[in-house]
Every structure is written in C-alpha cells, then in structure tokens.
Amino acid sequence: MGPPGSGKGTRAKIIGRMYGIPVIAAGDMLREAAARGTEKGKVARAYMNRGELVPDDIVISIMEKRLNKPDTERGFVLDGFPRSVRQAVALDRILEKQNATIDTLLYVTAKPEIIVGRLSLRRSCPKCGAVYHLKDMPPREEGVCDECGSRLIQREDDKEEIIPHRFEVYERQTFPILERYQDAGKIKEISGDLEMDQIPVALEEILGKP
Ligand code: AP5
C-alpha cells in the first residue's frame, strides 16, 4: 500500500521475481478489462480516468476470481487491493476460505514532490503493463516497450490535472484501512525514495531471504 505513484507496482514486481510468486495488481487487471472492452472494464475505465476508485463490487469480483487460481497456492503479492474498507472485509473473507492470511503489509512512503514528478514522467505499456520513467528508467528505444515492442502511452490518470484528485481519494478512502493492519502488527514501511538497486536489499531485510 501507499499513495499513488509511491512505487508500489515497481516493488511488487521485484518481490514477485525475488520470491517466485505471482503479482496480482488491481490497477493492471482493471486496465486489462478496459482494454478488452468487457462490461466491467468499460465502467472501470470511466472511474479510473477520473482518478476515482472503481466500484467495490466490480473490483472484488475480479480479484476474487484471480485469487482463486491455483498459482496463488504458494503465496502472492497484492498491489492496489484492498483500497476501501469493504474491499478489506472481502479480502478477509476470500483468504479465510483459502485458509490463508496476509503476512505483511508493505507501506511505501514517498514525498509528494517526488511522486508528482514520477507520475508525470511515467510512461506505461498498454499491452504488457511494463512501466518506465522518462528520466530515471527510460526504455532502450524512445517511446517503445523493451519487453514487447508496443508503443508506450501516458496513462489518462497520470495527467497533471488528475493527480491531485487521486491523492484526495487515497487519503479519504484508502488510508483509513491501514488501521486494520496496524492493530494486527502487520505493517512494515519501505521508502519510496530508494535507488532501484537498493530496493531488493531493503525488501530482503523486511521480508527475509527468498
Ligand atoms: P493503480 O494502477 O494501482 O495506480 P496507483 O495506486 O495510483 O499507483 P500507481 O500505479 O500510479 O503507482 P505505483 O505506486 O504503483 O508506482 P510505480 O511503481 O508505477 O490504480 C489506478 C486506478 O485504478 C485507481 O486510481 C482506481 O481508479 C483503479 N483501482 C485500482 N485498484 C483499485 C481498487 N482496489 N479499488 C478501486 N479502484 C481501483 O512508480 C511510479 C513511477 O516511478 C514509475 O514511472 C516508476 O518507473 C518510477 N519509479 C518507481 N520507483 C522508482 C525508483 N526507486 N527510482 C526511480 N524511479 C522509480
């Protein structure tokens, strides 16, 4: 968990690679549904483009289906879910059925001025979800995804006029759920300001050897 652009997705992908477990990113799944033009995807796109949370029912049904796939048996990283109290309650219910629990909530902290710079310079691959930063993590060829060769885009919600609203939504709807995990002693903080090569070391300190 962490504010928009703090580096959740970047850390989630590193954890997935280090520990050999799937990364389940709510935002990526919603963008995929939108790109496929499914009914849920069409609704989701409108909310996402405005920087608002997609309705709980849509998100919960997509995440529940994904979490029930067999590749989650050895563990998984959740990125961007839960993001509301209702989603947190739904996650508890889904995990209870699987006899599973959340081990750690990684809370990514970052200064707002760094975040705004990151989001406005982020470019994303609409096909495979790879993420770049025009200055700090540029693709090898300008405007082209290293992974799959697709044209990179700027996400609608990364436009400067939408970013402040995403912060408000985070503060109002997502931040309050930290309390649930705080009480259970599951929260570990990781800085969003680390250099890329420092991230695996910091993660190993927090999560243990892969
Ligand atoms: P989502 O896709 O989850 O976006 P977000 O939470 O706003 O987070 P971001 O993806 O913007 O940033 P991040 O923290 O992952 O940072 P990243 O690693 O990319 O959600 C988008 C929308 O979908 C929501 O607004 C909502 O509408 C909907 N949605 C999603 N989940 C939902 C849910 N559960 N319920 C309802 N609606 C939901 O890093 C940012 C940039 O910084 C990148 O360019 C990266 O390359 C760069 N960077 C990161 N770390 C470093 C570093 N150490 N050094 C240099 N550059 C770095």
Side-chain angles (χ1 to χ4, degrees), residues 24-172:
I24 303 178
D28 288 350
M29 293 187 69
L30 291 167
R31 278 185 288 276
E32 272 165 36
R36 284 202 311 276
T38 65
E39 280 313 307
K40 284 177 187 159
K42 283 186 210 157
V43 177
R45 185 196 294 275
Y47 284 89
M48 293 169 91
N49 285 352
R50 293 196 299 267
E52 280 162 24
L53 290 190
V54 172
D56 285 332
D57 289 342
I58 293 183
V59 179
I60 292 167
S61 83
I62 290 177
M63 296 305 279
E64 180 157 23
K65 210 161 149 205
R66 177 65 186 89
L67 283 165
N68 280 327
K69 291 202 171 160
D71 67 342
T72 59
E73 273 168 20
R74 283 189 53 247
F76 50 85
V77 192
L78 281 174
D79 170 12
F81 181 83
R83 246 166 153 129
S84 68
V85 173
R86 241 191 95 198
Q87 292 179 21
V89 172
L91 177 62
D92 285 348
R93 173 182 55 76
I94 297 166
L95 293 180
E96 205 177 302
K97 275 199 224 155
Q98 300 182 345
N99 238 343
T101 50
I102 295 288
D103 296 320
T104 306
L105 187 152
L106 261 188
Y107 184 60
V108 189
T109 56
K111 297 189 191 90
E113 58 273 21
I114 290 187
I115 293 181
V116 175
R118 276 185 183 171
L119 290 180
S120 50
L121 292 178
R122 173 166 60 183
R123 294 296 178 271
S124 312
C125 176
K127 188 141 179 252
C128 73
V131 168
Y132 302 87
H133 184 274
L134 291 184
K135 205 161 105 267
D136 297 333
M137 250 196 332
R140 285 192 293 273
E141 188 186 335
E142 197 185 322
V144 178
C145 179
D146 292 349
E147 310 289 328
C148 72
S150 301
R151 276 260 129 226
L152 298 177
I153 55 152
Q154 180 175 35
R155 273 169 42 179
E156 270 311 303
D157 59 345
D158 279 349
K159 301 201 164 141
E160 259 175 63
E161 59 279 19
I162 307 290
I163 295 173
H165 186 54
R166 286 167 65 194
F167 279 98
E168 277 163 37
V169 168
Y170 172 76
E171 292 287 335
R172 187 163 28 91

